[in-house]
Amino acid sequence: RINAWGPQQVVWDEGHMLQTEKSRRSKASKEIAHRPSVTSRIVLTGTPLMNRVRDLWNLVDTISPGRFGKNCFSFQRIHCDGKFEEISRDIGAKWKAEGATNILQLQKRLNHFVLRRTTEEVQLELPEKTRQVIRLEVPVKFHSANSGSLIDKRLINAILAKAVDGKVPQVVDLLRDHLEGGNSCIGFTYRQSIAEHLVTQLAPLGIMCRFIHGGILPSKRQAILNELREESLKGPVFLAATIDTCATAIDLTFATVA
């Protein structure tokens, strides 16, 4: 449908979502971007690289076709330490490109068409932010015995989760104070169960409480945020959200405390 319009200029917001060349989003974006009618392509993002240098290739190839070669392998070989590594006799060698090499060369090539604005350059446009660090004591019953080894990642996660459970009542009290003081709040957490617990504990205050997690579709998440934003004009509201679901492309300016 977009192709039928014959667009001459294309702009993408949250451009880092184009990092995977095999996704349907990326394929559709390239189909539009590489049409003969398109003379201008612009990508906006606050996070051009999510994890690895190799994630940059498809984004660049979408807006500047062929700049880093016809496929990703030459780019990965030069700038991502790409090479075949022997896995086993049965599996054989596997292509691996997890590194970062020739970074100065890459920076010079990117400077040709990348415009970067730093925090210092836009500081006057940003509201003041106050950070407050509150140290919480974990009750003894939530302490974990020293096993003598913390090599097991599952063990580490279990110990951390247990410690977090011991802090939740204090967090609830802190949020309650903010909400009763007229502030709209957001509580971020890594665990869905904690987000649900916060909403359950704070709902009796008589304010609108909602939570967002990975099981909620993006369209539904936006509807929840719109509802909270409208209600925040009348009084304080509370949102509990898992960090990965509210990391990008979401307006949370209705909250004064996060």
Side-chain angles (χ1 to χ4, degrees):
R1 183 178 298 179
I2 295 178
N3 285 334
W5 299 344
Q8 296 178 332
Q9 298 178 328
V10 184
V11 180
W12 290 268
D13 193 13
E14 301 297 341
H16 52 270
M17 301 297 288
L18 299 175
Q19 65 179 357
T20 305
E21 64 268 22
K22 295 182 180 180
S23 70
R24 290 185 297 175
R25 177 192 292 111
S26 295
K27 291 179 180 179
S29 294
K30 277 191 174 182
E31 182 180 347
I32 297 171
H34 297 179
R35 289 180 63 84
S37 63
V38 177
T39 58
S40 177
R41 310 174 189 89
I42 299 175
V43 167
L44 306 175
T45 177
T47 316
L49 285 178
M50 296 293 285
N51 293 301
R52 300 154 300 195
V53 174
R54 76 178 194 184
D55 295 336
L56 185 63
W57 182 83
N58 190 65
L59 191 155
V60 172
D61 194 61
T62 300
I63 61 176
S64 185
R67 177 164 295 275
F68 287 132
K70 294 182 179 180
N71 57 59
C72 64
F73 292 104
S74 59
F75 173 76
Q76 292 178 359
R77 179 175 55 81
I78 297 172
H79 297 296
C80 310
D81 194 27
K83 56 183 177 293
F84 284 101
E85 289 190 358
E86 191 75 21
I87 304 300
S88 67
R89 291 184 177 181
D90 296 332
I91 299 176
K94 183 179 180 180
W95 180 258
K96 186 176 182 180
E98 305 293 333
T101 49
N102 299 309
I103 297 302
L104 291 180
Q105 178 189 0
L106 176 61
Q107 183 178 4
K108 290 180 180 179
R109 298 180 71 182
L110 291 175
N111 284 341
H112 178 72
F113 60 94
V114 172
L115 175 62
R116 181 172 180 260
R117 299 186 71 194
T118 64
T119 301
E120 290 73 19
E121 292 172 325
V122 298
Q123 194 68 52
L124 295 177
E125 304 172 20
L126 299 175
E128 291 187 8
K129 181 187 296 183
T130 301
R131 295 184 182 273
Q132 182 181 16
V133 178
I134 301 176
R135 299 189 180 279
L136 302 177
E137 292 294 331
V138 179
V140 175
K141 68 178 182 178
F142 292 98
H143 289 188
S144 298
N146 186 359
S147 66
S149 175
L150 291 180
I151 298 177
D152 190 336
K153 185 176 180 180
R154 291 175 297 179
L155 175 60
I156 295 175
N157 290 337
I159 293 174
L160 292 175
K162 186 176 180 180
V164 169
D165 291 340
K167 297 179 181 180
V168 170
Q170 300 172 72
V171 173
V172 170
D173 290 340
L174 178 64
L175 289 169
R176 183 182 289 110
D177 290 343
H178 281 301
L179 291 166
E180 291 178 341
N183 292 299
S184 291
C185 302
I186 301 175
F188 287 110
T189 174
Y190 285 101
R191 291 161 56 195
Q192 178 180 331
S193 59
I194 297 295
E196 293 176 324
H197 180 75
L198 293 177
V199 168
T200 301
Q201 293 298 308
L202 296 170
L205 293 178
I207 63 173
M208 177 176 287
C209 294
R210 298 287 186 270
F211 73 93
I212 295 177
H213 57 78
I216 298 176
L217 294 175
S219 58
K220 180 61 175 177
R221 298 175 198 173
Q222 191 58 56
I224 293 173
L225 293 173
N226 292 341
E227 184 182 18
L228 286 168
R229 187 174 297 107
E230 183 177 345
E231 189 66 22
S232 69
L233 299 176
K234 307 173 186 177
V237 297
F238 174 66
L239 169 67
T242 51
I243 291 177
D244 57 337
T245 57
C246 287
T248 58
I250 289 181
D251 183 0
L252 301 174
T253 55
F254 64 84
T256 52
V257 176

